[in-house]
Amino acid sequence: MNPKQKHLPYLDGIRGLSALYVTLGHAVLTVWPLAKQPGGLTKLLLAPMMLGHYAVVVFIVLSGYCLALPIVQSESGQPRSGWLHFFQRRFWRIVPPYWCAMAVTLALIGTVLGKETGSHWDMCVPVQPLAIPVYALLLNDVLAAKYGGQINHVYWSIPVEWHLYFLFPALLFLRRKFRPEAMLAGALAVGYAAWLVLRKSDYSGLMPHMLPLFALGAFGAGITHGPAQAWHQRVPWGALGVLTALLAVVGGLKLGIEAMLVRAPFLDPLIGVATVALLVVLPKSQPLQKLLGGKLPVFLGVMGYSLYLMHAPLLQLVWQYALNPLQLAPVPTFGLLMLSLPLVIGLCYLFFLACEKPFLKKRG
């Protein structure tokens, strides 16, 4: 692999499969909301699909990794075009598609998705009028205690990532002035100190424990594309990744989805380490590169943000108007919902073409 290679298809593949995993998890919750979880063999088979929060951790780590890649290769240790251009690019990448998704979702809520139906979507409605400007200004993490979950229950992560961007210069300052380890240690200290202060307050939606995960991604970029260091070579990254992923999955399955989210600050770092381990191993593994860089994972990755933004209301539409009226048992209903996934993905792709792809050009 050329260390200066600008585009790594397997990164798109990781993003795409993570977005698909979130979609599958919410498909399960559409049929079996938290108050009506399945039991027996059904629970055993479907429980692994309900750890979608971990996919958001992968997104955060991957974001830190991708944003740091060109910086760790530069001599200045800063964005080549300056920080103003960096924030402009991030704005065009994240915010306009998010606003478009908000507008489409609010239109659906105002017409066909505004009533409670007993599904997971119920947490999104009704929408308080003030929630609209709060979400549009990406302040729904700050005001999560009052407006959390409204409009679209996946929107909680968008402001979390957006606000992490503004801490990126401080992380790179620590990396440049001291060492990458100092950047990671500083993020850990600040992130978990803030979490301890905020965890029982009305501002716990800020999720400061995501900061070290973001820094972990930037740290991984330094391992794969920065100056070689001896200790990097001595770490058994593959084994470490498998071990931490297993611990996180077993912990999440044992606790259940609600308890897992409460203990996310303790479990998320395990997935963070597993993600970085995968990113470190990938440049040396052609089979993994081919698997994650295949046509389908890359296709899903290219439109992954649109899939993430729009899958929830589309799943609710299919369930509410096509499946629920059939009055089938939950298992066959879920099977039919799975058969509808190509339709949901196709509609998300149309959203990508209309509301995300045009803004990708604006980043330049």
Side-chain angles (χ1 to χ4, degrees):
M1 183 191 71
N2 182 358
K4 295 296 183 181
Q5 183 178 348
K6 291 185 178 181
H7 183 70
L8 302 171
Y10 57 77
L11 298 182
D12 287 329
I14 295 172
R15 185 181 298 108
L17 293 176
S18 297
L20 180 62
Y21 182 65
V22 172
T23 304
L24 293 174
H26 287 147
V28 175
L29 287 171
T30 299
V31 179
W32 291 280
L34 291 175
K36 302 177 182 178
Q37 286 294 287
L41 181 61
T42 303
K43 180 178 181 180
L44 183 65
L45 294 174
L46 295 181
M49 298 170 62
M50 299 178 66
L51 304 178
H53 174 83
Y54 287 157
V56 177
V57 175
V58 175
F59 291 144
I60 296 293
V61 175
L62 191 61
S63 179
Y65 182 89
C66 292
L67 293 178
L69 274 181
I71 295 172
V72 299
Q73 295 175 4
S74 68
E75 294 181 2
S76 66
Q78 300 184 66
R80 292 187 179 93
S81 303
W83 283 111
L84 178 60
H85 189 234
F86 169 83
F87 289 118
Q88 288 175 337
R89 285 172 59 86
R90 288 292 89 201
F91 173 86
W92 287 114
R93 181 68 185 93
I94 296 294
V95 179
Y98 168 70
W99 283 342
C100 290
M102 268 191 64
V104 173
T105 304
L106 285 169
L108 291 172
I109 290 173
T111 53
V112 293
L113 294 183
K115 296 182 180 179
E116 296 183 1
T117 58
S119 74
H120 191 59
W121 183 255
D122 286 359
M123 68 186 300
C124 304
V125 294
V127 176
Q128 298 180 55
L130 284 178
I132 297 174
V134 166
Y135 274 69
L137 293 172
L138 291 163
L139 295 175
N140 41 306
D141 58 342
V142 179
L143 299 174
K146 190 170 184 179
Y147 301 108
Q150 294 188 33
I151 304 177
N152 188 329
H153 52 75
V154 306
Y155 286 175
W156 67 269
S157 68
I158 310 301
V160 170
E161 175 155 350
W162 174 248
H163 293 144
L164 286 174
Y165 295 154
F166 294 94
L167 298 174
F168 196 39
L171 294 177
L172 292 184
F173 173 81
L174 290 174
R175 186 183 188 279
R176 185 174 68 253
K177 290 296 183 181
F178 302 99
R179 292 176 58 86
E181 292 82 358
M183 172 190 69
L184 189 56
L188 280 167
V190 172
Y192 277 88
W195 172 74
L196 285 171
V197 172
L198 298 175
R199 64 193 178 108
K200 294 184 178 180
S201 74
D202 289 340
Y203 304 103
S204 59
L206 287 168
M207 295 194 176
H209 79 280
M210 292 289 185
L211 176 61
L213 299 173
F214 188 68
L216 194 58
F219 185 77
I223 295 175
T224 58
H225 288 72
Q229 296 188 33
W231 74 268
H232 295 164
Q233 310 300 321
R234 294 195 296 269
V235 176
W237 292 107
L240 181 62
V242 171
L243 176 62
T244 51
L246 284 175
L247 288 173
V249 170
V250 170
L253 292 176
K254 185 175 180 180
L255 290 169
I257 183 171
E258 291 182 282
M260 180 197 78
L261 294 176
V262 172
R263 292 167 174 79
F266 305 103
L267 294 172
D268 289 354
L270 295 172
I271 291 294
V273 171
T275 304
V276 167
L278 175 62
L279 293 170
V280 173
V281 168
L282 268 167
K284 303 174 184 178
S285 173
Q286 289 297 323
L288 278 176
Q289 287 187 37
K290 290 181 179 179
L291 178 65
L292 294 172
K295 290 184 179 180
L296 180 58
V298 170
F299 168 74
L300 292 172
V302 169
M303 60 161 285
Y305 187 41
S306 291
L307 178 59
Y308 184 79
L309 288 173
M310 288 303 303
H311 72 272
L314 294 176
L315 286 172
Q316 177 67 14
L317 270 175
V318 173
W319 177 83
Q320 183 173 331
Y321 289 100
L323 303 182
N324 195 43
L326 299 177
Q327 296 296 305
L328 300 174
V331 171
T333 299
F334 178 72
L336 291 174
L337 189 58
M338 288 294 95
L339 291 176
S340 76
L341 278 184
L343 172 63
V344 171
I345 293 172
L347 292 173
C348 289
Y349 183 66
L350 293 179
F351 177 87
F352 164 78
L353 293 176
C355 299
E356 182 180 353
K357 188 176 181 180
F359 294 106
L360 295 176
K361 301 175 182 178
K362 289 285 188 180
R363 292 187 300 162

